[in-house]
């Protein structure tokens, strides 16, 4: 029966592609449509952080940890993902941030996150490139890194080579159709902009932050599982000769991630004005080629700026240089990205499959819409896809 089951996926980002991977694991035939010639949304604009450390206790942490396992498994089979179990260091700038890191290190689930509180000398032993000023750091060994510009083509390559599921008669069971925008939805079917229909036992829509496209009328219902869009600014430098052994976060990240919503958060000093204006935190990941991906900012109110704000970049550069104790290489690329996020605190509703961590709803018979994973989307994508098929 399994080989006769056909899944049609709209969207070529991480969510769509991980659904293709999980469908092929079950032996289903997969057709995947993407409106662009190549995906160019949040999934290729992110840090490639498989980020467990800051997740909220409970279902969010469990989802991230399951995803981390799946990434490691996939990384072992598909070297092109660039999966590295590098861990991360969140660095405290002063006593209040350090006290909050201590609280986090004492969380009941700290061992699941593989947390360890380090003094500055121990931080430098783990990551010798950190020659700047900090009061200590929280090592999270569970965090990992993938190469976002490589992940999607690498996974597709593996699927096309029959790597995802049982081979049959020389067929991969996977078809990638770029340049096809889904414009219409019917029961168990979608139609693309050329008028062609694609029917499946299951249709999965993963349109990312395209909230007004074909999924627009379902998302516009609002209510439970309602989504919003968030815009972030990023940059990437020329290669740094030295290896930065872990991903890095500064103390501003303690203000955003739910794991750090602990009593000590109320005692943190105000953020630097530029950081507060841009809702910025420093995250820094060294790419496989040595370049540094540095971000990020958060813009919540639309209309979003169409241009890039240099003050936020000045702030992020200064923070990176303060931690490294050295100038960063020349910035080679800057970009902004937009993700779709279930509005935080959205109550759970049975029709939304009980998940306020992302949006999943059956919008027509046999057609499921999955989006809204927010800043955890790259991390959680394999586990979200697994849950859809469960
Ligand atoms: C700057 C930035 C940094 C981030 N950093 C991280 C990080 O380090 N770790 C982490 O876990 N998460 C991170 N995120 C979040 C993460 O990238 C996203 O949650 C995730 O990539 C969303 O994947 P997606 O497939 O839903 O969306 P997308 O990547 O946007 O993909 C959706 C795809 O669907 C296509 N599409 C839309 N409509 C149609 C249609 N009608 N027909 C056909 N195709 C269609 C689009 O062209 C697009 O390619 C970051 C996001 C941003 C923007």
């Amino acid at each position: 029966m399994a080989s006769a089951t056909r899944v049609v996926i709209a969207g070529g980002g991480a969510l769509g592609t991980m659904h293709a991977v999980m469908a092929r694991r079950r032996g289903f035939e997969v057709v995947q449509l993407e409106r662009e010639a190549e995906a160019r949304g949040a999934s290729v604009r992110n840090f490639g952080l498989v980020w467990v450390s800051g997740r909220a206790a409970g279902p969010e942490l469990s989802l991230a940890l399951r995803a981390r396992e799946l990434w490691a498994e996939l990384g072992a089979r598909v070297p092109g993902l660039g999966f590295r179990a590098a861990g991360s260091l969140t660095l405290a700038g002063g006593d209040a941030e350090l006290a909050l890191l201590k609280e986090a290190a004492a969380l009941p689930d700290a061992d699941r996150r593989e947390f360890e509180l380090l003094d500055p000398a121990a931080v430098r032993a783990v990551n010798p490139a950190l020659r700047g000023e900090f009061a200590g750091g929280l090592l999270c060994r569970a965090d990992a890194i993938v190469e976002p510009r490589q992940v999607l083509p690498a996974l597709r390559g593996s699927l096309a080579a029959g790597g995802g599921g049982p081979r049959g008669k020389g067929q991969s069971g996977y078809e990638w159709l770029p340049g096809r925008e889904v414009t219409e939805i019917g029961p168990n079917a979608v139609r693309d902009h050329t008028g062609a229909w694609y029917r499946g036992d299951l249709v999965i829509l993963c349109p990312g932050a395209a909230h007004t496209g074909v999924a627009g009328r379902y998302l516009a219902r609002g209510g439970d599982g309602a989504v919003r869009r968030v815009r972030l600014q990023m940059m990437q430098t020329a290669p740094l000769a030295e290896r930065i052994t872990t991903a890095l976060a500064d103390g501003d990240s303690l203000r955003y991630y739910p794991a750090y919503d602990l009593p000590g958060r109320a005692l943190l000093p105000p953020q630097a004005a530029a950081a507060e204006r841009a809702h910025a935190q420093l995250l820094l990941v060294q790419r496989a080629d040595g370049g540094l991906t540095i971000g990020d900012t958060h813009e919540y109110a639309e209309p979003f700026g169409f241009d890039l704000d240099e003050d936020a970049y000045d702030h992020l550069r200064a923070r990176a240089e303060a931690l490294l104790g050295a100038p960063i290489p020349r910035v080679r690329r800057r970009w902004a990205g937009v993700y779709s996020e279930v509005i935080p605190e959205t109550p759970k509703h049975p029709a939304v499959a009980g998940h306020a961590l992302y949006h999943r709803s059956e919008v027509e018979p046999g057609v499921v819409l999955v989006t809204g994973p927010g800043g955890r989307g790259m991390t959680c994508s394999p586990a979200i896809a697994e849950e859809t098929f469960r």
Side-chain angles (χ1 to χ4, degrees):
M1 286 300 287
S3 64
T5 302
R6 184 175 142 99
V7 177
V8 177
I9 298 169
L15 275 185
T17 306
M18 286 299 185
H19 278 86
V21 169
M22 294 304 159
R24 287 299 301 137
R25 279 195 179 184
R26 284 155 183 79
F28 303 155
E29 280 174 26
V30 173
V31 178
Q32 185 179 10
L33 296 95
E34 162 58 47
R35 67 181 173 184
E36 305 283 349
E38 176 54 272
R40 41 182 290 126
S43 303
V44 297
R45 294 171 190 241
N46 63 46
F47 293 95
L49 281 171
V50 178
W51 199 246
V52 170
S53 44
R55 301 293 159 218
E60 185 178 353
L61 179 60
S62 297
L63 186 72
L65 283 168
R66 175 59 187 150
R68 166 69 171 77
E69 261 171 33
L70 290 165
W71 274 113
E73 243 176 63
L74 284 166
R77 283 200 294 110
V78 185
L81 304 185
F83 176 85
R84 279 170 287 153
S88 74
L89 277 165
T90 298
L91 297 158
D95 291 345
E97 290 177 355
L98 188 61
L100 182 49
L101 290 185
K102 261 185 207 156
E103 274 185 72
L107 281 169
D109 56 16
D111 56 332
R112 297 181 76 202
R113 301 170 197 266
E114 300 180 59
F115 273 169
E116 189 184 344
L117 189 69
L118 304 179
D119 65 22
V123 165
R124 286 191 187 100
V126 170
N127 202 333
L130 290 167
R131 299 192 184 86
E133 291 293 314
F134 41 84
L138 185 65
L139 177 64
C140 174
R141 290 196 176 84
D143 285 339
I145 298 170
V146 292
E147 292 299 309
R149 291 167 192 245
Q150 298 173 28
V151 163
L152 303 175
L155 287 175
R156 294 198 310 263
S158 159
L159 291 173
R167 282 168 201 258
K169 299 175 195 145
Q171 301 281 314
S172 71
Y174 173 70
E175 194 178 3
W176 164 245
L177 296 177
R180 305 289 174 107
E181 178 164 356
V182 168
T183 53
E184 204 176 326
I185 301 174
N188 289 89
V190 288
R191 189 181 206 181
D192 76 17
H193 71 285
T194 71
W197 281 97
Y198 305 83
R199 288 175 210 288
D201 298 278
L202 180 62
V203 174
I204 302 169
L205 307 174
C206 300
H211 287 180
T212 53
V214 72
R217 69 189 160 112
Y218 309 106
L219 292 171
R221 289 173 188 160
D224 297 326
V227 288
R228 67 175 177 183
R229 307 199 312 158
V230 180
R231 177 180 180 269
L232 290 74
Q233 281 190 202
M234 306 279 284
M235 61 180 160
Q236 190 159 318
T237 72
L240 178 78
E242 190 172 9
R243 284 314 294 175
I244 299 187
T245 57
T246 65
L248 301 177
D250 76 350
D252 280 332
S253 69
L254 302 174
R255 293 161 170 94
Y256 296 111
Y257 286 109
Y260 308 114
D261 191 5
L262 299 166
R265 189 187 258 182
L267 305 175
L268 295 181
Q271 280 183 287
E276 196 176 354
R277 263 197 311 276
H279 303 282
Q281 61 180 342
L282 175 76
L283 296 177
L284 186 155
V285 179
Q286 190 170 38
R287 300 269 64 97
D289 74 353
L292 308 179
T293 304
I294 297 173
D296 58 10
T297 61
H298 297 90
E299 194 177 347
Y300 301 102
E302 297 203 44
F304 294 142
F306 55 83
D307 46 7
L308 296 166
D309 169 27
E310 197 59 27
D311 288 350
Y313 283 124
D314 287 345
H315 167 79
L316 291 170
R317 184 189 297 105
R319 293 306 291 255
E321 293 183 343
L323 295 179
L324 294 172
I328 59 169
R330 189 176 77 87
V331 174
R332 276 190 173 165
R333 299 190 177 103
R334 295 168 201 268
W335 67 94
V338 176
Y339 61 64
S340 165
E341 170 178 70
V342 169
I343 296 170
E345 319 305 337
T346 300
K348 291 181 181 180
H349 186 283
V352 190
H355 286 285
L357 297 175
Y358 58 92
H359 176 108
R360 186 195 294 110
S361 58
E362 186 168 7
V363 295
E364 297 290 340
V367 182
V368 174
L369 168 61
V370 188
T371 190
R376 58 176 94 79
M378 191 69 165
T379 301
C380 295
S381 53
I384 291 172
E386 190 177 61
E387 288 190 350
T388 298
F389 289 104
R390 212 179 282 146

